[in-house]
Amino acid sequence: MSLTASTGPMCTRDSLASDLRALGLNPGETLLVHSSLSSLGWVCGGPGVVVMALLDALGDDGTLVVPTHSGNNSDPAYWGNRPVPESWWADIRAAMPPFDARTTPSLGVGVIPEAVRTWPGAVRSCHPQTSFAAVGPHAAKIVEGHALDCRLGERSPLARLEEAGARVLLLGTDFASCTAFHLAEYRVPASQVDNSFAVMTAQGRRWSTVRDTAISDDRFDELGAAFERESSLTRGRVGGAKARLFGLADAVAYAETWLTVHRPRIATV
């Protein structure tokens, strides 16, 4: 048994839902959430309670969306975090399990998205690296048609969220995790790169390589700080977490201009 004292505040389903409503969440809206469970304090019941509170605030007509990325399904030659010996690369490419929207766990996006992924009625987009999961009446429309050669662009759930007038909730996270900014990257000149992963096809498992737009969260912290200074967004607290709530389309439009000026890239094919 751990002897480490729990830190507060203590959060319950009701207290979190109340805080979310006070922040400005509206019943019936579509919401993309980036989250950190630990930032909230001590949550009675864990990540599932946070999902319940979000769904309570959104109501029966609202749709909850989260990133359920699985970036480990990629070419080991480009792994910067915990790289492996080059002598392993071919074997990893041959043995990497193919993406399965039903069973492949999310990685690096926190425990709340994983709770949403396994939630009753949840649906998930089919990109092997940058999938999104959703719960609610508009979930299927948001996640359908996620192209293998479009991680976070026009044929991804981000564009469907923009069309739906979705808002973004940063719940204890900063702008470095704001995937909406990546949609803007697809709308400014950018290089094309090879992107590889394991997928399941009608012929069985396959290691596949496609051409896609190069993406990077480099300087997203600066971009987010500028967006927060110059835009109308809602700030508040949910439990112990700092929360920001804003329109996804607003963030994308701002990022498109900011990236063009402050982080220009030369487009190559």
Side-chain angles (χ1 to χ4, degrees):
M1 179 180 295
S2 173
L3 298 179
T4 303
S6 299
T7 57
M10 175 181 168
C11 303
T12 66
R13 174 179 178 175
D14 288 344
S15 73
L16 290 171
S18 178
D19 287 351
L20 289 164
R21 294 186 185 102
L23 182 69
L25 260 64
N26 298 315
E29 74 171 305
T30 298
L31 186 71
L32 172 62
V33 179
H34 298 285
S35 56
S36 164
L37 179 67
S38 62
S39 70
L40 292 167
W42 190 82
V43 178
C44 183
V49 164
V50 182
V51 179
M52 291 177 189
L54 286 163
L55 294 174
D56 288 345
L58 293 173
D60 291 341
D61 296 326
T63 300
L64 172 64
V65 186
V66 295
T68 49
H69 299 174
S70 47
N72 56 322
N73 186 353
S74 57
D75 194 329
Y78 301 105
W79 290 355
N81 185 20
R82 296 186 179 179
V84 295
E86 185 173 354
S87 60
W88 295 6
W89 292 355
D91 289 340
I92 289 173
R93 293 178 187 124
M96 179 67 70
F99 175 78
D100 186 327
R102 299 164 300 172
T103 61
T104 299
S106 58
L107 179 69
V109 289
V111 294
I112 294 171
E114 185 66 2
V116 175
R117 182 186 73 80
T118 59
W119 204 258
V123 291
R124 187 183 190 186
S125 70
C126 288
H127 196 283
Q129 297 169 342
T130 57
S131 66
F132 291 77
V135 177
H138 302 296
K141 183 177 181 180
I142 287 167
V143 304
E144 69 183 1
H146 195 169
L148 293 181
D149 60 350
C150 188
R151 285 171 286 187
L152 297 167
E154 306 300 339
R155 290 172 293 148
S156 81
L158 287 177
R160 307 292 79 75
L161 286 163
E162 182 184 46
E163 293 167 358
R167 290 199 290 174
V168 178
L169 172 63
L170 299 183
L171 186 58
T173 62
D174 57 29
F175 281 99
S177 64
C178 182
T179 53
F181 289 159
H182 287 296
L183 181 56
E185 290 188 293
Y186 281 77
R187 297 177 178 175
V188 299
S191 298
Q192 297 291 299
V193 295
D194 285 339
N195 188 34
S196 300
F197 36 70
V199 292
M200 184 61 72
T201 71
Q203 292 74 41
R205 179 204 175 275
R206 176 184 174 188
W207 183 255
S208 179
T209 298
V210 300
R211 294 290 285 176
D212 197 356
T213 296
I215 58 176
S216 170
D217 60 8
D218 181 45
R219 300 186 69 186
F220 273 15
D221 54 346
E222 296 175 51
L223 166 56
F227 174 65
E228 188 166 16
R229 285 194 306 270
E230 300 178 25
S231 302
S232 171
L233 54 77
T234 301
R235 305 172 188 82
R237 289 274 174 181
V238 175
K242 181 178 181 180
R244 301 178 181 93
L245 182 64
F246 52 89
L248 185 144
D250 294 338
V252 173
Y254 187 90
E256 187 174 349
T257 299
W258 192 94
L259 290 169
T260 301
V261 174
H262 298 281
R263 208 192 70 180
R265 297 186 292 180
I266 299 174
T268 60
V269 177

